[in-house]
Amino acid sequence: MKLAPLSAGLIGLVAVLAGPDRLSIGEQPAMVATANADESGKETGNEAGKEVGSAGRASTMPMARDPSAAVAEEYEAARRKGTREALELFLARHGDDPLAEQARAELKRLSR
């Protein structure tokens, strides 16, 4: 019995079993290929202007929120809560925002 073909076969089997994370030149992992396919098939199709993929799914990245709207919502929540702690927390987070003056005035009103 010749050992050369048997040893070559065993070496090949060990290489296949030991290295499933290695791909041949030019191949891509399945998730990368799927992501690339999704990116190339995007269209803007709904009323809000969100991107929709070729399968009709919404994109995975939500639209960026307007920072001033988020600060205004946080101020309204602190004002509705009406506590000194809530207004002080707002001022600590957003002391240089234009709404900070209103929060300071509200804080003075609570102190009286």
Side-chain angles (χ1 to χ4, degrees):
M1 181 167 117
K2 295 185 180 181
L3 292 178
L6 181 61
S7 61
L10 287 175
I11 291 173
L13 179 64
V14 168
V16 168
L17 294 176
D21 59 337
R22 290 180 178 79
L23 300 173
S24 299
I25 296 173
E27 288 186 25
Q28 293 180 339
M31 295 301 289
V32 171
T34 303
N36 289 340
D38 286 347
E39 288 295 320
S40 66
K42 287 194 174 181
E43 308 166 354
T44 55
N46 59 12
E47 301 79 29
K50 292 180 183 173
E51 292 181 344
V52 177
S54 59
R57 297 175 301 199
S59 67
T60 57
M61 180 73 96
M63 296 294 293
R65 231 177 129 195
D66 181 20
S68 60
V71 171
E73 286 177 12
E74 191 172 337
Y75 169 72
E76 284 301 316
R79 192 183 60 75
R80 272 185 266 124
K81 195 166 186 181
T83 65
R84 183 177 217 16
E85 292 82 16
L87 290 168
E88 286 173 348
L89 179 61
F90 175 81
L91 287 171
R93 290 181 178 168
H94 309 288
D96 58 346
D97 193 79
L99 288 173
E101 288 303 316
Q102 293 178 12
R104 286 185 188 98
E106 190 77 22
L107 199 56
K108 284 180 185 178
R109 188 186 62 77
L110 284 175
S111 298
R112 294 180 189 165

